[in-house]
Amino acid sequence: MLIAHVGDVSNLVLDPDIDSYYMMDGVIFRIPLLVQKISQARDLGRRIALGDALSSDKLAELIFVLPGIVENAFDGIKLGVAKAYGFKNVYGAPNVKDLINQEYDMFVGAIGAFLAQTKPIRAVALDSAFNAKRYVEAGNVALSALKKLYAAEAKALDALLVARINALTFQKRLMQFGVPLLWLAVIYLLIGFYRSVMKTVNSLDEISKKLVRGDTEEKVKLDAKDELAKVGASFNVIGQALVQRNKDLEENKKKLEDSLRLLEESYKKLEESNARIQEQQTQLIQSEKMASLGQMVAGIAHEVNTPLGFVRNNIEVLEKSQRRLLDVLERYRDLRDALINGQLDELEAKLLGIVEASKKIDSSNFSEKIRALIAESLDGIDRIQQLVIVLKNFSRLDEASFKETDLNQGIESTLKIAHNLVKYKAEVIKDFAPDMQVECFPARMNQVFLNIITNAVQAIEGQGHIWIKTYKEDGMAVVKIRDDGRGIPKENLKKIFEPFFTTKEVGQGTGLGLSIVYKIIEQHRGTITVQSEVGKGTEFTIKIPVKQSQELASPASTLAFN
Amino acid sequence: MSSESRILLVDDEPMVLSSLSRLFEDDYVVFTANGGAQALDIVRREPIKVIISDQRMPGMLGHEVLRQVKQISPNTVRMLLTGYSDLDAIISSVNAGEIFRYINKPWKADNLCNLVRLGVQIYDRIAQLQAKEQAKAEALKTSSRIHIEVEEKHGSVLFVDYDENEVKRLVEKFSKSFDVSGATSVDEAFKELAKRPVSVVVSNVNFADVDGIGFLNAIRQEYPQVVTVILTEVKDATLAVRSINELSVFKYLVKPASDDVIGKTLSEAVEKNKLYAKAPSTNVRQTAETIAPEIVAPKVEESALRLRLRAAQALLSKTNLRNES
């Protein structure tokens, strides 16, 4: 059966699953070849030993071809067997190694010997009968080993095939009994599956409840591997997202609390800086006042400097003149003493000296000069005194409440203060109504006039004019101050009373002047309006009530610019 | 001679005019004008040696009056009476070379008298020098037809500033057009000056240890033909007034000044230096110093600076000798 099987090569080779055919390959293809070739070689060896003279073809075959073929086939078998040794438990078959081991060792030894025997022949001599004989013997041994191996392999193959047949039989039986069992298994699995689904659903339910409470990071236990599992997985994703969201919310809450704290802090800082700004604003208003004061002081300084300059100069000239007078006086005294003492010899020289020294003081010009010097000096001192009075009038520091005051006078003293500023730039044309007695804060109104007049002067390019008109109308005192300066552009006209609005360069003005004016007029319950045309000039119209009502009589609390 | 000298007083304040007139009437022929227009009329008519003008006047400001006087009568010594420091006007008047002297109000009669006397002397001296120079020029014209044009190298310029980068930058910038060197301290500047003749010194005046004006004055006294230019970040009326009164600075440039302006100033300054060499009469400052050193007397600090300068000179000549031997 086996041999028959072995002979049926196609059947065996067709089954690619069974790796053990490697061995079969060794047996089926190599062993018959080996047997044939070794027999051939032994026969040729025998003929040499019997004294036959072989043809050169045969000899070459014996020496070169046959051993090569034998060697090749030998290697193939060794390879097949080595692989067969590696196989394990093929359908419960015995190990190939156990089955062929002994025969295989013999086979290896015999073929090895054969090849060893043939080697010296190949190497040394072909015609030695002794050698040929050994050749033949080795061939015989190899052949018998081959037979035995062949048998062992056949046995192993047999065992393998039996194992395979058994396996197939088992499969057949399994088909017979296995199908109902399979159904049972399916039902069992279905029940298991249902349970697993229910478990998943319950888990879903439970976890979602926990999730709703927001106190879990658990995941749904996933046993199933189907759509529900997908649902579960999605649920897990959603759940985890929810948990994450929850965490995020917590974090956001914390962040919000932090921001709230920051907000509170910055609010506090804001309040502080607000206070600081207010303080700075007060300081700015103060510095604006100081700036206008500074301007005023500079103007006054110049105004004072001029009379001071010539008064001082006059006194120095007077001093020089007095020195001359004293010189003449001294000479006269000298002459008198000489006369009294009777020193007559020097009289002429002394007289000549007096005449010489008196030349400059004898002229009518000299006494006129002294008189003028004194008069002009006094005039200068009067001018300084006037300035001091004007300053006092302007500031009216002694009056801290509404006082009936002549506005005309206020404007006049303001013009004197601003004289230095105005005189080089503008001619002032006054049109004053005679009675301008008004209840007001004189010092503050003067500040208003000074501010507006200063602006007017600054608006004039080159030489210009300032018109000042006062009159009363419907219980209001009206002051109009007009200039022919460059005028205010329309877009700026609305903003001029706003604090900090300025068109002057940084450092030139705080932009508070007119806002202070506005405040002061407001405090007097008056109005201030402005008309302007670019290139033509500007006119400010101030109206304040002639009489202030009683409740405003104590103004200290309402006045911010005190 | 002095009794024939004509001086002109300009002020819009009659009291000031009469007061000043009385101060000068014994010694000079005094003219008065109540404003710029009147003053210019008089200057056109009369050979005025000294003019004193108030700065603040309606119509024309004092420095403008003096600017026009300079054109009409360049030799008239011009003084400005200021009671009110108008910074920009002062600096621009410095740079326009309008003013010989600033006088602050209220003035002292004695000082003013001295200044006017000096002014008159300067006027006379310059007239003398000019006559001599003219005669010399005439003689030169007639005697030799061959005019020897000495092609001088561009003027040599020394930059002095405490800011090393600034000096480096300026030296690099102007090394093409001028023969330039730089110094970052007073002593370094003195050494540079001792090394070679310098025609223009461009200097800051804002040094930590030394009064800048005094420093420049020391240079001026040692090298009278050096033209000084102030290049500083300090915009200060007092400094500007001092730069004229004590130094007769050529230009007062306020940083940041454009390279164009600096370059132009350098060219002008170099020209000025050449003019000083050719016609010493134009060097009013030096003339003033030769006439009345007591009025433009160096201060103590300046003397000390001059000692330092001379020490630098001595040191350098010594090392030169050593190198030669």
Side-chain angles (χ1 to χ4, degrees):
Chain A
M1 177 195 159
L2 289 171
I3 303 305
H5 238 301
V6 169
D8 189 3
V9 176
S10 59
N11 192 20
L12 283 167
V13 174
L14 272 179
D15 197 338
D17 278 348
I18 301 171
D19 293 329
S20 52
Y21 287 145
Y22 276 110
M23 189 186 68
M24 306 311 169
D25 179 59
V27 175
I28 290 158
F29 297 102
R30 307 291 159 93
I31 290 182
L33 185 69
L34 265 183
V35 169
Q36 188 191 355
K37 292 303 169 191
I38 290 173
S39 302
Q40 218 170 350
R42 188 193 55 184
D43 288 345
L44 287 174
R46 190 179 290 141
R47 278 170 66 183
I48 291 170
L50 289 177
D52 265 11
L54 290 178
S55 70
S56 58
D57 283 353
K58 288 283 176 204
L59 215 59
E61 196 187 350
L62 181 66
I63 295 164
F64 301 111
V65 184
L66 290 175
I69 293 171
V70 169
E71 219 164 339
N72 251 345
F74 183 45
D75 286 344
I77 288 168
K78 277 199 283 192
L79 192 71
V81 170
K83 285 205 169 177
Y85 276 4
F87 304 146
K88 279 169 191 167
N89 293 323
V90 185
Y91 306 114
N95 202 319
V96 174
K97 199 178 176 182
D98 295 339
L99 291 174
I100 64 167
N101 205 16
Q102 203 180 349
E103 277 71 20
Y104 180 66
D105 286 346
M106 277 175 55
F107 156 77
V108 171
I111 299 297
F114 172 75
L115 286 172
Q117 291 299 337
T118 56
K119 223 177 201 164
I121 302 170
R122 272 185 276 165
V124 185
L126 291 169
D127 53 352
S128 155
F130 169 71
N131 281 344
K133 202 175 169 188
R134 280 173 65 189
Y135 199 108
V136 177
E137 275 167 10
N140 282 337
V141 173
L143 281 174
S144 82
L146 269 172
K147 263 183 208 158
K148 278 180 185 159
L149 179 65
Y150 196 49
E153 289 219 351
K155 211 155 121 196
L157 191 59
D158 198 18
L160 282 172
L161 284 174
V162 168
R164 181 152 175 75
I165 287 159
N166 285 344
L168 285 171
T169 315
F170 175 73
Q171 274 176 15
K172 204 176 158 188
R173 287 210 184 121
L174 199 71
M175 288 301 281
Q176 280 172 356
F177 302 100
V179 172
L181 272 172
L182 200 70
W183 277 113
L184 275 172
V186 165
I187 288 161
Y188 174 79
L189 280 172
L190 275 176
I191 290 166
F193 175 65
Y194 173 74
R195 276 192 182 156
S196 132
V197 166
M198 282 318 288
K199 206 164 146 196
T200 308
V201 170
N202 285 338
S203 170
L204 273 171
D205 186 44
E206 201 175 315
I207 290 168
S208 43
K209 275 176 192 159
K210 283 189 182 171
L211 277 176
V212 168
R213 287 199 302 275
D215 62 352
T216 185
E217 284 184 35
E218 274 178 50
K219 288 190 185 176
V220 178
K221 284 182 187 100
L222 287 175
D223 292 342
K225 289 185 178 169
D226 51 14
E227 280 76 7
L228 198 76
K230 279 186 193 161
V231 171
S234 308
F235 185 86
N236 276 342
V237 170
I238 292 166
Q240 287 315 301
L242 275 173
V243 169
Q244 190 56 42
R245 180 67 53 83
N246 225 9
K247 264 192 208 161
D248 288 353
L249 277 173
E250 277 297 317
E251 251 169 60
N252 280 345
K253 197 178 150 198
K254 247 182 228 164
K255 274 184 196 159
L256 271 174
E257 281 169 355
D258 284 349
S259 332
L260 195 70
R261 208 171 31 250
L262 278 175
L263 260 175
E264 275 170 0
E265 273 168 33
S266 46
Y267 178 73
K268 227 182 257 171
K269 274 184 197 156
L270 214 72
E271 271 187 329
E272 277 166 24
S273 57
N274 198 23
R276 215 173 318 130
I277 284 170
Q278 266 180 356
E279 199 178 305
Q280 278 167 352
Q281 206 164 340
T282 318
Q283 274 173 6
L284 254 178
I285 289 166
Q286 197 59 36
S287 73
E288 168 69 29
K289 282 168 87 179
M290 289 305 287
S292 48
L293 187 73
Q295 216 170 31
M296 211 176 79
V297 167
I300 297 289
H302 184 261
E303 288 298 298
V304 172
N305 241 349
T306 301
L308 205 63
F310 70 77
V311 168
R312 190 201 156 97
N313 192 67
N314 286 352
I315 289 170
E316 286 188 66
V317 175
L318 277 172
E319 204 248 333
K320 216 178 359 176
S321 307
Q322 187 225 21
R323 243 184 282 139
R324 283 179 183 158
L325 275 173
L326 285 177
D327 178 40
V328 174
L329 193 63
E330 191 58 37
R331 285 171 193 275
Y332 271 114
R333 220 178 263 149
D334 205 21
L335 183 69
R336 188 195 60 189
D337 291 349
L339 279 172
I340 290 169
N341 296 336
Q343 300 165 316
L344 299 177
D345 51 330
E346 285 173 28
L347 274 181
E348 199 184 334
K350 288 191 190 230
L351 272 169
L352 277 175
I354 289 174
V355 169
E356 189 57 34
S358 307
K359 258 186 190 165
K360 279 184 180 164
I361 61 170
D362 271 352
S363 63
S364 60
N365 203 7
F366 184 78
S367 52
E368 171 57 25
K369 181 174 165 178
I370 300 243
R371 200 199 54 74
L373 280 170
I374 291 169
E376 281 170 22
S377 299
L378 288 175
D379 195 78
I381 288 166
D382 280 348
R383 272 165 66 174
I384 294 169
Q385 194 178 357
Q386 278 297 314
L387 282 166
V388 173
I389 292 167
V390 165
L391 268 179
K392 189 168 160 281
N393 278 343
F394 181 82
S395 59
R396 306 288 286 258
L397 287 174
D398 45 348
E399 293 162 31
S401 61
F402 283 117
K403 268 252 168 85
E404 188 149 305
T405 322
D406 185 2
L407 278 191
N408 289 344
Q409 208 187 7
I411 295 168
E412 289 284 8
S413 55
T414 306
L415 281 172
K416 277 199 187 112
I417 293 285
H419 181 60
N420 165 63
L421 201 67
V422 176
K423 77 171 167 185
Y424 306 114
K425 296 280 296 265
E427 187 191 339
V428 179
I429 299 145
K430 291 175 272 192
D431 178 10
F432 290 173
D435 172 36
M436 285 302 287
Q437 290 295 120
V438 175
E439 263 184 29
C440 65
F441 277 97
R444 291 203 184 109
M445 286 310 291
N446 289 347
Q447 200 183 343
V448 168
F449 300 142
L450 183 66
N451 260 322
I452 293 174
I453 289 168
T454 307
N455 280 352
V457 170
Q458 283 166 351
I460 290 168
E461 286 151 346
Q463 292 281 323
H465 301 83
I466 297 173
W467 292 269
I468 306 177
K469 188 177 175 159
T470 62
Y471 57 93
K472 280 184 180 170
E473 182 186 75
D474 307 331
M476 303 290 269
V478 185
V479 180
K480 281 178 184 279
I481 300 173
R482 180 158 69 89
D483 66 67
D484 52 1
R486 67 176 81 88
I488 304 164
K490 257 199 182 122
E491 64 268 23
N492 290 348
L493 213 50
K494 277 185 192 164
K495 296 185 235 164
I496 58 167
F497 294 116
E498 285 173 16
F500 306 112
F501 177 77
T502 181
T503 55
K504 294 174 195 165
E505 276 176 42
V506 174
Q508 297 281 337
T510 58
L512 282 174
L514 282 177
S515 75
I516 290 172
V517 164
Y518 191 83
K519 276 268 171 178
I520 293 172
I521 299 302
E522 220 176 30
Q523 285 155 13
H524 284 82
R525 303 186 133 201
T527 59
I528 179 165
T529 53
V530 61
Q531 277 181 308
S532 187
E533 200 175 322
V534 172
K536 290 245 170 119
T538 306
E539 182 177 65
F540 283 90
T541 305
I542 297 159
K543 290 184 182 180
I544 58 168
V546 174
K547 297 267 175 213
Q548 294 288 341
S549 56
Q550 279 308 301
E551 73 258 33
L552 279 171
S554 62
S557 60
T558 57
L559 296 180
F561 298 102
N562 208 348
Chain B
M1 188 176 81
S2 128
S3 64
E4 293 155 22
S5 298
R6 291 164 165 79
I7 65 167
L8 172 58
L9 311 170
V10 192
D11 203 311
D12 61 320
E13 175 57 63
M15 296 274 190
V16 173
L17 285 181
S18 86
S19 177
L20 285 175
S21 297
R22 294 209 174 88
L23 185 64
F24 295 118
E25 66 190 2
D26 290 346
D27 304 318
Y28 308 97
V29 181
V30 179
F31 292 83
T32 59
N34 64 8
Q38 216 183 353
L40 295 176
D41 273 351
I42 294 167
V43 170
R44 281 192 198 96
R45 256 190 358 247
E46 304 284 341
I48 300 294
K49 293 188 178 176
V50 175
I51 178 172
I52 300 176
S53 174
D54 188 29
Q55 164 68 357
R56 283 242 158 183
M57 294 183 294
M60 203 189 285
L61 290 173
H63 78 267
E64 175 61 19
V65 176
L66 295 185
R67 195 180 65 77
Q68 294 195 27
V69 166
K70 186 189 177 188
Q71 283 166 353
I72 298 166
S73 166
N75 285 358
T76 300
V77 176
R78 302 168 299 274
M79 304 188 189
L80 191 69
L81 206 53
T82 57
Y84 196 88
S85 295
D86 197 344
L87 183 59
D88 288 328
I90 289 174
I91 288 179
S92 68
S93 67
V94 167
N95 288 337
E98 292 147 7
I99 289 150
F100 170 69
R101 198 89 188 185
Y102 289 92
I103 301 156
N104 279 323
K105 281 186 191 175
W107 63 91
K108 281 185 176 158
D110 273 358
N111 283 354
L112 202 58
C113 284
N114 283 340
L115 279 174
V116 170
R117 200 179 62 237
L118 172 69
V120 168
Q121 285 171 339
I122 289 171
Y123 181 94
D124 292 340
R125 177 89 182 118
I126 286 173
Q128 247 174 15
L129 286 170
Q130 275 175 338
K132 258 191 221 164
E133 278 158 17
Q134 219 157 21
K136 214 164 144 191
E138 288 293 322
L140 211 82
K141 234 187 243 168
T142 49
S143 71
S144 89
R145 299 259 132 201
I146 313 152
H147 187 64
I148 303 163
E149 187 82 39
V150 182
E151 192 52 55
E152 283 176 61
K153 225 196 146 191
H154 316 287
S156 56
V157 178
L158 171 63
F159 290 103
V160 190
D161 202 310
Y162 58 85
D163 180 352
E164 202 173 321
N165 291 335
E166 174 83 348
V167 171
K168 211 185 270 176
R169 197 189 69 79
L170 286 168
V171 166
E172 257 167 45
K173 174 78 195 171
F174 293 106
S175 58
K176 270 185 200 152
S177 343
F178 303 98
D179 176 12
V180 291
S181 55
T184 54
S185 72
V186 168
D187 286 324
E188 234 178 277
F190 286 159
K191 269 178 213 158
E192 283 297 323
L193 282 162
K195 263 188 226 164
R196 71 204 179 105
V198 167
S199 37
V200 179
V201 173
V202 180
S203 174
N204 205 328
V205 283
N206 193 16
F207 296 110
D209 53 335
V210 175
D211 170 45
I213 299 280
F215 157 65
L216 286 174
N217 218 347
I219 293 175
R220 275 293 306 262
Q221 281 165 17
E222 206 65 24
Y223 309 94
Q225 281 170 12
V226 167
V227 176
T228 45
V229 173
I230 289 175
L231 175 59
T232 182
E233 60 281 359
V234 185
K235 200 178 175 187
D236 179 85
T238 316
L239 198 65
V241 167
R242 280 190 67 201
S243 75
I244 281 299
N245 288 355
E246 294 174 30
L247 186 66
S248 299
V249 75
F250 177 58
K251 299 274 161 167
Y252 185 108
L253 302 182
V254 179
K255 287 184 193 172
S258 75
D259 288 343
D260 283 352
V261 170
I262 296 174
K264 197 168 156 261
T265 305
L266 287 179
S267 305
E268 287 172 10
V270 167
E271 282 312 307
K272 191 85 179 171
N273 172 258
K274 285 179 188 165
L275 188 68
Y276 282 172
K278 222 188 283 175
S281 68
T282 50
N283 198 342
V284 178
R285 172 75 183 178
Q286 200 196 354
T287 310
E289 268 165 21
T290 55
I291 294 168
E294 77 277 6
I295 286 185
V296 283
K299 291 176 180 169
V300 179
E301 191 182 357
E302 285 166 16
S303 307
L305 278 165
R306 284 184 77 174
L307 286 178
R308 272 161 82 176
L309 200 155
R310 290 197 177 126
Q313 283 175 329
L315 194 76
L316 206 85
S317 63
K318 226 184 264 174
T319 52
N320 279 351
L321 278 175
R322 208 175 299 145
N323 289 348
E324 276 162 27
S325 64

